[in-house]
Amino acid sequence: MGCSSSKTTTTIDDTKAAAATAPTTKKDNKMEYPASEAFTIPLDDVAHEQADQLNDTLRQPPKRLQQLMQQAAETEPLTLEELEDKQQRAEQRRQELMQQKIESIQKNTQMLMRGHGEQGDEEQEQEEEEQQTQKL
């Protein structure tokens, strides 16, 4: 009764086994590779010159730098006297800045000392007043 009908149906295990025993195709065995690339290598000089021109336009510096380089090329180089004069002025500016720093530090220290000195003077005055009141 029930046994005869169960034999006609296929089970899940039977389908898996059939798929595993099926022959594999060549497409499954073949590994997939990325798309191929092609390069053009010029062998004549004309193509080489065109490539150089293209590279030169890509490698040009920005206009601001081109202007600065052009200005530097147009100006004459400094002489030894001009360089010494320039160094002397720079040294004078450094000395003036150092002098200003020293003066500001001295002012700050004087202000700090006055502040401490005033506090010390007030304490001494208070002590003197206490001593005078004790004598009376």
Side-chain angles (χ1 to χ4, degrees):
M1 290 199 262
C3 294
S4 65
S5 65
S6 64
K7 289 182 180 179
T8 58
T9 60
T10 59
T11 62
I12 297 172
D13 293 332
D14 293 339
T15 57
K16 288 182 183 176
T21 59
T24 58
T25 62
K26 290 182 181 180
K27 192 174 188 179
D28 291 338
N29 289 337
K30 193 182 233 186
M31 297 181 72
E32 292 187 27
Y33 293 102
S36 60
E37 296 180 12
F39 297 97
T40 304
I41 301 172
L43 299 176
D44 55 338
D45 292 335
V46 175
H48 184 66
E49 289 174 6
Q50 289 175 352
D52 284 343
Q53 289 174 353
L54 179 63
N55 287 339
D56 289 341
T57 58
L58 293 176
R59 293 182 186 167
Q60 287 182 350
K63 288 186 179 184
R64 178 70 181 143
L65 289 178
Q66 286 179 349
Q67 291 173 353
L68 290 173
M69 290 188 313
Q70 186 178 8
Q71 288 175 357
E74 290 174 357
T75 59
E76 295 178 9
L78 296 175
T79 63
L80 182 62
E81 293 173 0
E82 291 172 337
L83 287 173
E84 288 175 352
D85 185 44
K86 200 172 185 179
Q87 286 180 336
Q88 194 174 32
R89 285 183 282 159
E91 187 62 32
Q92 286 176 352
R93 284 194 302 269
R94 279 191 218 105
Q95 292 297 327
E96 289 173 2
L97 287 173
M98 285 298 289
Q99 189 63 31
Q100 288 175 353
K101 287 180 182 179
I102 290 170
E103 289 174 1
S104 68
I105 289 171
Q106 287 175 348
K107 286 180 184 178
N108 289 338
T109 53
Q110 287 177 358
M111 293 295 284
L112 290 172
M113 295 302 285
R114 285 183 193 160
H116 290 298
E118 289 174 0
Q119 289 176 358
D121 291 341
E122 289 175 4
E123 290 175 4
Q124 286 178 354
E125 290 174 5
Q126 288 176 359
E127 288 176 7
E128 289 175 3
E129 289 176 6
E130 288 176 7
Q131 288 176 357
Q132 289 176 357
T133 54
Q134 289 175 358
K135 287 181 185 178
L136 296 174

